[in-house]
Coordinates of all heavy atoms in Angstrom, one line a residue:
N146 N -10.9 -1.3 -9.8 CA -9.6 -1.3 -9.1 C -9.0 0.1 -9.0 O -9.5 0.9 -9.7 CB -8.6 -2.4 -9.5 CG -8.4 -2.1 -11.1 OD1 -7.8 -1.0 -11.5 ND2 -8.5 -3.1 -11.9
A147 N -7.9 0.3 -8.1 CA -7.4 1.6 -8.1 C -6.6 2.0 -9.3 O -6.4 3.1 -9.6 CB -6.4 1.7 -6.8
T148 N -6.0 1.0 -10.1 CA -5.3 1.4 -11.3 C -6.3 2.0 -12.3 O -5.8 3.1 -12.9 CB -4.6 0.1 -11.8 OG1 -3.9 -0.6 -10.9 CG2 -3.8 0.3 -13.0
L151 N -7.1 5.4 -11.0 CA -6.1 6.5 -11.4 C -6.3 7.0 -12.8 O -6.1 8.2 -13.1 CB -4.6 6.1 -11.1 CG -4.2 5.8 -9.6 CD1 -3.0 5.0 -9.4 CD2 -4.0 7.2 -9.0
T170 N 7.1 3.9 -5.0 CA 5.7 3.7 -4.8 C 5.4 2.4 -5.7 O 6.3 1.9 -6.3 CB 4.8 4.8 -5.4 OG1 3.5 4.5 -5.3 CG2 5.1 5.1 -6.8
F171 N 4.3 1.8 -5.4 CA 3.9 0.7 -6.3 C 4.0 1.0 -7.8 O 3.4 2.1 -8.1 CB 2.6 0.1 -5.8 CG 2.2 -1.1 -6.5 CD1 3.0 -2.2 -6.6 CD2 1.0 -1.3 -7.1 CE1 2.6 -3.5 -7.2 CE2 0.5 -2.4 -7.8 CZ 1.4 -3.5 -7.8
A173 N 2.1 0.5 -10.2 CA 0.8 1.0 -10.7 C 0.6 2.5 -10.8 O -0.1 3.1 -11.6 CB -0.4 0.4 -9.9
T174 N 1.2 3.2 -9.9 CA 1.1 4.7 -9.9 C 1.7 5.2 -11.2 O 1.0 6.0 -11.9 CB 1.9 5.3 -8.6 OG1 1.7 4.6 -7.5 CG2 1.6 6.8 -8.5
T216 N 1.7 9.8 -3.7 CA 1.2 8.6 -3.0 C 1.3 8.9 -1.6 O 2.4 9.4 -1.1 CB 2.1 7.3 -3.4 OG1 2.1 7.1 -4.8 CG2 1.4 6.1 -2.8
D242 N -2.6 9.2 -5.0 CA -2.7 7.8 -5.0 C -2.8 7.4 -3.5 O -1.9 7.4 -2.9 CB -1.4 7.1 -5.6 CG -1.5 5.6 -5.5 OD1 -2.3 5.0 -4.7 OD2 -0.8 4.9 -6.3
A244 N -4.1 4.6 -2.3 CA -4.4 3.2 -2.3 C -4.1 2.5 -0.9 O -4.6 1.6 -0.5 CB -3.4 2.5 -3.3
H245 N -3.1 3.2 -0.2 CA -2.7 2.7 1.2 C -3.4 3.3 2.3 O -3.3 3.0 3.4 CB -1.2 2.9 1.5 CG -0.3 2.2 0.5 ND1 1.0 2.2 0.6 CD2 -0.5 1.3 -0.6 CE1 1.7 1.5 -0.3 NE2 0.7 0.9 -1.0
S266 N -7.6 1.9 -2.9 CA -7.6 0.5 -3.4 C -8.3 -0.3 -2.5 O -8.0 -0.2 -1.3 CB -6.2 0.1 -3.8 OG -6.3 -1.3 -4.1
F267 N -9.1 -1.2 -2.9 CA -9.7 -2.3 -2.1 C -9.3 -3.6 -2.7 O -10.1 -4.6 -2.7 CB -11.2 -2.1 -1.9 CG -11.6 -0.7 -1.4 CD1 -12.2 0.1 -2.1 CD2 -11.2 -0.5 -0.1 CE1 -12.5 1.4 -1.6 CE2 -11.5 0.9 0.4 CZ -12.2 1.7 -0.4
H268 N -8.0 -3.7 -3.1 CA -7.5 -4.9 -3.6 C -7.3 -5.9 -2.4 O -7.2 -5.4 -1.2 CB -6.1 -4.7 -4.2 CG -5.4 -6.0 -4.7 ND1 -4.5 -6.6 -4.0 CD2 -5.7 -6.7 -5.8 CE1 -4.1 -7.7 -4.8 NE2 -4.9 -7.8 -5.8
K271 N -5.0 -5.2 0.4 CA -5.1 -4.0 1.1 C -6.0 -4.3 2.4 O -6.8 -5.3 2.4 CB -5.9 -2.9 0.4 CG -5.1 -2.6 -1.0 CD -3.6 -2.2 -0.8 CE -3.1 -1.4 -2.0 NZ -2.5 -2.3 -3.0
E277 N -11.3 -7.4 -5.7 CA -10.6 -6.3 -6.5 C -11.6 -5.1 -6.4 O -12.7 -5.2 -6.3 CB -10.6 -6.6 -8.0 CG -9.6 -7.8 -8.4 CD -8.3 -7.1 -8.7 OE1 -8.0 -6.0 -8.5 OE2 -7.3 -8.1 -9.0
G278 N -10.9 -4.0 -6.3 CA -11.8 -2.8 -6.1 C -11.1 -1.5 -5.7 O -9.9 -1.5 -5.5
Y369 N 0.7 -1.4 7.0 CA 2.0 -2.0 6.8 C 3.0 -1.8 8.0 O 2.9 -0.7 8.7 CB 2.6 -1.2 5.6 CG 1.9 -1.4 4.3 CD1 1.0 -0.5 3.8 CD2 2.1 -2.5 3.5 CE1 0.2 -0.7 2.8 CE2 1.4 -2.7 2.4 CZ 0.4 -1.7 1.9 OH -0.3 -2.0 0.7
F401 N 9.3 -1.1 -2.2 CA 8.9 -1.2 -3.5 C 10.2 -1.3 -4.4 O 10.5 -0.4 -5.3 CB 8.1 0.0 -3.9 CG 6.6 -0.1 -3.2 CD1 6.4 0.6 -2.1 CD2 5.7 -1.0 -3.8 CE1 5.2 0.5 -1.4 CE2 4.5 -1.1 -3.1 CZ 4.2 -0.3 -2.0
Ligands
PLP193 C1 -2.2 -1.5 -4.6 C2 -1.7 -0.3 -5.2 C3 -2.3 0.3 -6.3 C4 -3.1 -0.5 -7.3 O1 -4.3 -0.9 -6.7 P1 -5.2 -1.9 -7.5 O2 -6.6 -1.7 -6.8 O3 -4.6 -3.2 -7.2 O4 -5.3 -1.6 -8.9 C5 -1.9 1.6 -6.7 N1 -1.0 2.2 -5.9 C6 -0.4 1.8 -4.8 C7 0.5 2.6 -4.0 C8 -0.9 0.6 -4.4 O5 -0.2 0.0 -3.3

Side-chain angles (χ1 to χ4, degrees):
N146 61 56
T148 306
L151 284 166
T170 178
F171 183 54
T174 317
T216 306
D242 178 339
H245 296 178
S266 173
F267 302 113
H268 180 256
K271 306 301 200 278
E277 291 275 2
Y369 296 100
F401 289 98

